[in-house]
Amino acid sequence: MKTQNGERDVDLCTPLAAMLKEFMGTRTSGLLFCRSSGRQILQTDILRDSLHLILKKLEHVEGGSHLRRFRITELKKFRLP
């Protein structure tokens, strides 16, 4: 990890955890989801290539994650924890 804050604990349901463990295999380093070249897959690529196509097929409004990284000063400005 780049910093200690880069490590996360995530709770997953048992079937999803098993599927992810099977996908990982014996890998212990590198990116979990990457291109065949080994480069990372960007969020915009996933939205464009997968999610938006699925939503269009379901005749649903396009969407996606709108999470952004904010500086502490911005969070304090809007009185967010």
Side-chain angles (χ1 to χ4, degrees):
M1 293 289 144
K2 218 161 126 180
T3 67
Q4 287 181 344
N5 295 329
E7 188 173 324
R8 300 282 190 270
D9 289 326
V10 180
D11 293 326
L12 298 175
C13 64
T14 305
L16 181 57
M19 188 186 321
L20 191 56
K21 195 174 229 178
E22 182 181 335
F23 178 77
M24 286 175 40
T26 58
R27 290 184 283 169
T28 57
S29 64
L31 297 170
L32 184 57
F33 302 104
C34 59
R35 299 183 178 283
S36 57
S37 64
R39 294 181 60 209
Q40 71 179 10
I41 299 175
L42 300 175
Q43 177 185 353
T44 53
D45 296 337
I46 293 170
L47 292 174
R48 183 190 67 233
D49 299 340
S50 299
L51 181 63
H52 288 167
L53 295 175
I54 293 167
L55 293 174
K56 188 174 187 176
K57 194 179 286 186
L58 295 172
E59 297 178 356
H60 195 280
V61 178
E62 284 186 9
S65 175
H66 296 287
L67 299 175
R68 300 283 186 258
R69 294 183 181 175
F70 288 103
R71 295 180 55 156
I72 292 174
T73 53
E74 290 295 311
L75 295 173
K76 286 180 180 175
K77 184 168 79 176
F78 294 105
R79 296 184 179 169
L80 297 171

